[in-house]
């Protein structure tokens, strides 16, 4: 019986092919096994971001999920989160997406029942520079500067913005120090995002009572 020639081209090709198939199978198996856990982690992270915008921070995973399930309902039609706090107050969280200096940014802005006054804000990013643009996520004090600001002016135009020199404190927030371009991205995200919501929501939608807005009907949907 001839000895197997491990230096032959045929052997090398077959060996490489078998190895690639085995590795691919193992990677697919691991990916499939972790899929549910990965999806759960993404869902939990989103829940925490919504809670952060409601000034409900620093919760454990278990606490955050339980609290989210208790106080947050997602209105799919309007793409907003309707949140009934434990004291009975109702807040509305608006998800926003935009572009920073190096990649995507996102945010959740919680508004009071008047649908105009900012109750809380939380921002996230994909690849902004640590200590600079990344401060939109890491700097809680900066996020808290949005509290009490108005989103819309008297003509219902979007007025909330991030600027280098605040001239209208009712609507404007100082940009992050050393991160002008990222701050500009946040401002553009706020402007475009809320402009879209203003077009989507009917005029009477802004005047609805808290009771009408906060409770779904028998079909689990929110009233028109």
């Amino acid at each position: 019986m001839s000895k197997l020639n491990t230096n032959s081209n045929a052997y090398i090709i077959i060996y490489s092919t078998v190895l690639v198939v085995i590795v691919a199978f193992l990677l697919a198996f691991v990916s499939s096994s972790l899929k549910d856990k990965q999806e759960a982690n993404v869902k939990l992270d989103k829940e925490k971001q919504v809670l952060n915008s409601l000034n409900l921070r620093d919760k454990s995973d278990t606490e955050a999920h339980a609290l989210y399930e208790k106080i947050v309902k997602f209105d799919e039609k309007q793409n907003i989160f309707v949140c009934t706090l434990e004291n009975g107050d109702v807040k509305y969280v608006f998800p926003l997406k935009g572009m920073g200096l190096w990649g995507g940014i996102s945010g959740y802005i919680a508004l009071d029942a008047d649908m105009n006054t900012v109750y809380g804000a939380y921002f996230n990013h994909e690849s902004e520079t640590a200590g600079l643009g990344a401060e939109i996520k890491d700097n809680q004090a900066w996020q808290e500067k949005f509290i009490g600001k108005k989103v819309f002016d008297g003509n219902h135009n979007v007025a909330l913005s991030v600027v280098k020199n605040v001239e209208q404190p009712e609507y404007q927030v100082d940009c992050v120090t050393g991160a002008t371009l990222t701050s500009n991205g946040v401002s553009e995200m706020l402007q475009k995002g809320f402009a879209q919501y203003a077009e989507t929501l009917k005029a009477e939608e802004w005047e609805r009572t808290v009771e009408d807005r906060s409770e779904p009907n028998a079909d689990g949907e929110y009233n028109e």
Side-chain angles (χ1 to χ4, degrees):
M1 182 177 180
S2 62
K3 184 179 179 181
L4 180 65
N5 183 5
T6 59
N7 293 318
S8 67
N9 291 335
Y11 176 86
I12 293 173
I13 292 173
I14 295 173
Y15 179 83
S16 299
T17 301
V18 171
L19 186 61
V20 167
V21 170
I22 292 174
V23 171
F25 173 80
L26 291 175
L27 289 175
F29 175 77
V30 171
S31 177
S32 177
S33 300
L34 296 177
K35 183 178 180 180
D36 290 344
K37 185 175 182 179
Q38 291 170 340
E39 291 178 348
N41 287 338
V42 170
K43 182 175 183 292
L44 178 61
D45 182 62
K46 180 179 180 180
E47 292 174 352
K48 283 187 171 183
Q49 290 187 51
V50 172
L51 292 177
N52 286 343
S53 74
L54 294 166
N55 306 313
L56 299 170
R57 301 171 181 257
D58 302 322
K59 305 291 183 182
S60 69
D61 291 352
T62 301
E63 291 173 333
H65 178 68
L67 183 59
Y68 180 93
E69 291 291 311
K70 181 179 180 181
I71 70 172
V72 179
K73 301 294 182 184
F74 183 58
D75 184 339
E76 293 187 9
K77 182 176 180 180
Q78 304 295 358
N79 190 38
I80 62 175
F81 299 85
V82 182
C83 311
T84 305
L85 304 184
E86 294 184 324
N87 65 0
D89 290 348
V90 177
K91 310 298 178 184
Y92 303 94
V93 178
F94 290 74
L96 305 171
K97 289 186 180 296
M99 285 296 297
L101 175 59
W102 302 114
I105 58 175
S106 59
Y108 290 94
I109 308 297
L111 301 186
D112 285 333
D114 64 0
M115 298 289 270
N116 193 27
T117 305
V118 177
Y119 178 75
Y122 181 78
F123 300 99
N124 203 350
H125 67 90
E126 294 178 359
S127 53
E128 299 305 295
T129 306
L132 297 174
E135 288 294 287
I136 66 171
K137 173 185 177 182
D138 301 333
N139 191 334
Q140 181 178 337
W142 183 76
Q143 295 174 2
E144 291 175 347
K145 290 182 178 182
F146 286 84
I147 297 175
K149 303 295 183 182
K150 301 295 183 181
V151 175
F152 302 98
D153 62 18
N155 296 317
H156 212 67
N157 296 315
V158 181
L160 182 64
S161 58
V162 180
V163 298
K164 197 168 185 178
N165 298 302
V166 173
E167 297 179 352
Q168 296 178 296
E170 184 178 8
Y171 306 109
Q172 296 174 337
V173 173
D174 286 316
C175 68
V176 176
T177 303
T180 301
L181 294 179
T182 302
S183 297
N184 290 345
V186 172
S187 191
E188 183 176 359
M189 176 177 69
L190 293 169
Q191 294 278 316
K192 290 184 176 180
F194 277 111
Q196 291 177 347
Y197 281 115
E199 293 174 0
T200 301
L201 297 174
K202 299 176 183 178
E204 61 266 28
E205 186 75 16
W206 303 91
E207 305 298 332
R208 288 240 308 269
T209 63
V210 170
E211 290 76 16
D212 288 340
R213 299 180 61 85
S214 61
E215 294 297 332
N217 58 30
D219 296 323
E221 299 177 348
Y222 290 87
N223 299 324
E224 293 291 337

